[in-house]
């Protein structure tokens, strides 16, 4: 997400900033820098020769401000205690479907991405994944596979003006969690976009499969491997970690599947102005505590007044279109292009999830406009790929240019 406010730097080290900044994404997608400075950083931001320690990560993220990590004293509280009450009766719930209720692939794009245009929870898409086998993606199991010999990217939930990448081993990350996250209010969050590109973690790609309903992946036409902007993320974190309110970059759709643990989502439609979403709040935890009550109150007042909002596709939503829901293991959330969302890991254990951003024919035009404006070099490579592989899509990117 193109987050301009430096106080939203949550995802700077959560995402692969070796790629064009406007594509930095997921649960996060926050930009790092603009123009030539960002391009120069690409060469420097490589995985370090040795992993960082937790103390080094914190010093990089908040130099000389170690006390800020635990300033609110929230570490000893459960997410039920620190978050506003989840009240499904008060908030319209997100649409739910099972995998066998989905329309065919092409019709999914027409019926869900375009005609629907709203978030959906889909169950059953992860059936048969090795990752979903009992204990397969528990933190202890991942540590046995990669614990001490490979480092993963971790990020702050609220850094201000650094674009450093920080890596720690799963072994050290697990020890940090075991210590109660050293009393941190918003703990460090593992959000790694390179796991599928390098060995040995690329073997995780065999543990799950992209659901057929999300089969279009037009950004792949930019190039594969490290040639394309980051788009898939391994997300692992204890309670109180997550992504602050944001919109996924480059007008992408996204899907997110929880393997273990649970997530709480709050989503707002594209017609809600950015300044009304609280997208300047630095962490998911602080957004829920400091801003969510305002959003919920506005929604309730709008409902009482009989007000509605209308999506670009004509769908009418009650109030301001707020949705608030819990995602459980095995459930996949479809995030439509342009929807703001704040996601936080809840419960008592570690939550692990996989998420992909993608571009299909339904959001190609919007994605192309953003890409052309923010990174002409990537747009040029993308056009070459479209012309070579899928020339019938050229009208979607030529329109209006």
């Amino acid at each position: 997400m193109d987050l301009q406010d430096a106080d939203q730097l949550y995802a700077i080290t959560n995402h692969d900033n070796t790629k064009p900044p406007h594509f930095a994404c997921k649960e996060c997608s926050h930009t790092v820098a603009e123009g030539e400075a960002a391009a120069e950083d690409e060469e420097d931001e490589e995985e370090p020769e040795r992993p960082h320690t937790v103390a080094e990560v914190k010093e990089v993220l908040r130099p000389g401000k170690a006390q800020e990590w635990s300033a609110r004293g929230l570490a000893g509280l459960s997410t039920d205690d620190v978050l506003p009450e989840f009240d499904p009766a008060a908030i319209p719930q997100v649409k739910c479907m099972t995998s066998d209720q989905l329309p065919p692939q092409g019709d999914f794009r027409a019926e869900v991405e375009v005609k629907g245009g709203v978030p959906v929870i889909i169950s059953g898409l992860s059936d048969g994944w090795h990752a979903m086998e009992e204990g397969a993606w528990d933190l202890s199991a991942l540590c046995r596979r990669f614990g001490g010999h490979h480092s993963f990217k971790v990020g702050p939930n609220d850094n201000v003006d650094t674009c450093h990448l920080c890596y720690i081993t799963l072994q050290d990350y697990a020890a940090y969690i075991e210590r109660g996250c050293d009393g941190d209010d918003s703990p460090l969050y593992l959000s790694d976009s390179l796991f599928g590109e390098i060995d040995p973690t690329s073997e995780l790609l065999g543990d799950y499969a992209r659901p057929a309903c999300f089969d279009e992946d037009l950004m792949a036409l930019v190039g594969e491997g490290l040639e394309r902007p980051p788009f898939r993320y391994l997300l692992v974190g204890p309670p109180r970690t997550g992504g602050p309110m944001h919109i996924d970059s480059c007008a992408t759709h996204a899907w997110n599947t929880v393997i273990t643990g649970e997530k709480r989502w709050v989503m707002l439609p594209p017609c809600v102005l950015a300044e009304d979403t609280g997208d300047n709040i630095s962490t998911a935890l602080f957004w829920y505590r400091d801003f969510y009550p305002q959003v919920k109150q506005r929604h309730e007042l709008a409902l009482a007044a009989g007000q509605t909002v209308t999506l670009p596709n004509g769908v009418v939503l009650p109030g301001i279109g707020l949705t608030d829901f819990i995602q459980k293991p095995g459930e996949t959330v479809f995030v439509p292009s342009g929807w703001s969302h704040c996601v936080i890991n809840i419960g008592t254990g570690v939550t692990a999830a996989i998420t992909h951003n993608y571009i299909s024919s339904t959001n190609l035009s919007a994605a192309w406009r953003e890409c052309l404006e923010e990174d002409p070099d990537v747009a040029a490579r993308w056009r070459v790929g479209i012309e070579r592989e899928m020339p019938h899509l050229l009208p979607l990117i030529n329109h209006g240019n």
Side-chain angles (χ1 to χ4, degrees):
M1 295 107 241
D2 302 329
L3 302 181
Q4 303 294 323
D5 192 321
D7 191 41
Q8 298 178 349
L9 207 51
Y10 154 82
I12 274 184
T13 56
N14 278 4
H15 302 301
D16 181 7
N17 296 316
T18 63
K19 294 297 166 187
H22 71 285
F23 288 107
C25 161
K26 202 75 220 130
E27 243 176 62
C28 49
S29 305
H30 300 51
T31 55
V32 182
E34 300 293 340
E36 295 181 0
E40 293 173 357
D41 288 341
E42 292 181 20
E43 298 180 359
D44 298 332
E45 295 178 342
E46 298 177 352
E47 187 173 347
E49 293 183 2
R50 68 168 181 83
H52 298 97
T53 66
V54 169
E56 288 170 339
V57 169
K58 290 184 179 182
E59 179 60 25
V60 166
L61 302 177
R62 299 181 187 172
K65 299 179 179 179
Q67 71 281 1
E68 291 187 359
W69 287 91
S70 56
R72 296 201 183 192
L74 302 176
L77 303 176
S78 70
T79 50
D80 286 342
D81 292 329
V82 300
L83 298 181
E85 180 184 4
F86 175 66
D87 184 7
I91 304 295
Q93 291 302 288
V94 68
K95 182 177 181 180
C96 296
M97 304 176 70
T98 62
S99 56
D100 57 7
Q101 293 174 327
L102 294 178
Q105 293 175 18
D107 291 343
F108 178 88
R109 290 190 287 275
E111 295 296 322
V112 179
E113 294 180 2
V114 178
K115 186 178 178 180
V118 296
V120 181
I121 296 178
I122 309 170
S123 59
L125 293 180
S126 60
D127 290 353
W129 289 6
H130 172 67
M132 295 304 302
E133 295 177 6
E134 185 174 359
W137 273 33
D138 287 348
L139 184 56
S140 58
L142 294 175
C143 280
R144 287 192 294 271
R145 294 170 72 175
F146 313 111
H149 56 276
H150 181 76
S151 54
F152 290 79
K153 197 181 304 180
V154 294
N157 283 352
D158 58 337
N159 183 30
V160 178
D161 57 3
T162 178
C163 60
H164 295 286
L165 297 179
C166 298
Y167 295 82
I168 63 176
T169 65
L170 278 182
Q171 188 175 37
D172 284 350
Y173 189 55
Y176 164 73
I177 294 174
E178 184 68 22
R179 296 194 303 269
C181 301
D182 295 342
D184 297 341
D185 295 322
S186 288
L188 295 173
Y189 190 32
L190 188 154
S191 180
D192 193 291
S193 62
L194 291 177
F195 76 94
E197 311 298 341
I198 55 179
D199 293 327
T201 54
S202 61
E203 69 183 54
L204 290 172
L205 296 179
D207 289 1
Y208 72 96
R210 181 177 61 194
C213 56
F214 307 121
D215 65 327
E216 269 200 321
D217 182 23
L218 299 181
M219 184 53 70
L221 297 174
V222 173
E224 288 299 337
L226 296 178
E227 292 184 7
R228 69 177 290 178
F231 69 101
R232 61 187 168 209
Y233 300 85
L234 171 67
L235 305 169
V236 180
R240 305 191 311 281
T241 57
M245 185 60 76
H246 64 278
I247 300 174
D248 288 345
S249 64
C250 200
T252 55
H253 300 309
W255 59 268
N256 178 300
T257 302
V258 164
I259 309 299
T260 65
E262 294 183 345
K263 293 180 180 289
R264 182 174 175 182
W265 293 66
V266 165
M267 302 188 71
L268 292 164
C271 46
V272 177
L273 298 177
E275 56 264 32
D276 294 329
T277 67
D279 68 352
N280 63 330
I281 307 296
S282 58
T283 80
L285 176 63
F286 297 162
W287 186 91
Y288 275 94
R289 289 180 64 82
D290 300 342
F291 200 82
Y292 179 73
Q294 302 174 40
V295 173
K296 186 177 180 182
Q297 182 181 46
R298 285 199 299 116
H299 181 70
E300 291 171 341
L301 290 173
L303 285 175
Q307 297 174 357
T308 61
V309 294
T310 303
L311 301 182
N313 62 359
V315 171
V316 177
L317 302 175
I320 63 172
L322 171 69
T323 60
D324 182 352
F325 59 92
I326 304 297
Q327 179 190 18
K328 298 182 180 298
E331 294 182 338
T332 299
V333 172
F334 165 65
V335 183
S337 172
W339 278 70
S340 300
H341 47 287
C342 183
V343 191
I344 191 165
N345 296 324
I346 61 174
T348 58
V350 173
T351 296
I354 193 73
T355 188
H356 283 216
N357 287 77
Y358 73 99
I359 295 169
S360 72
S361 52
T362 68
N363 59 333
L364 175 58
S365 294
W368 170 258
R369 289 192 296 270
E370 285 199 23
C371 182
L372 187 65
E373 178 180 350
E374 298 182 26
D375 201 305
D377 290 338
V378 170
R381 288 192 284 125
W382 197 8
R383 173 181 282 276
V384 169
I386 293 173
E387 290 175 339
R388 181 180 63 247
E389 303 292 338
M390 306 186 77
H392 64 283
L393 295 178
L394 286 172
L396 294 177
I397 67 173
N398 290 333
H399 178 68
N401 295 326

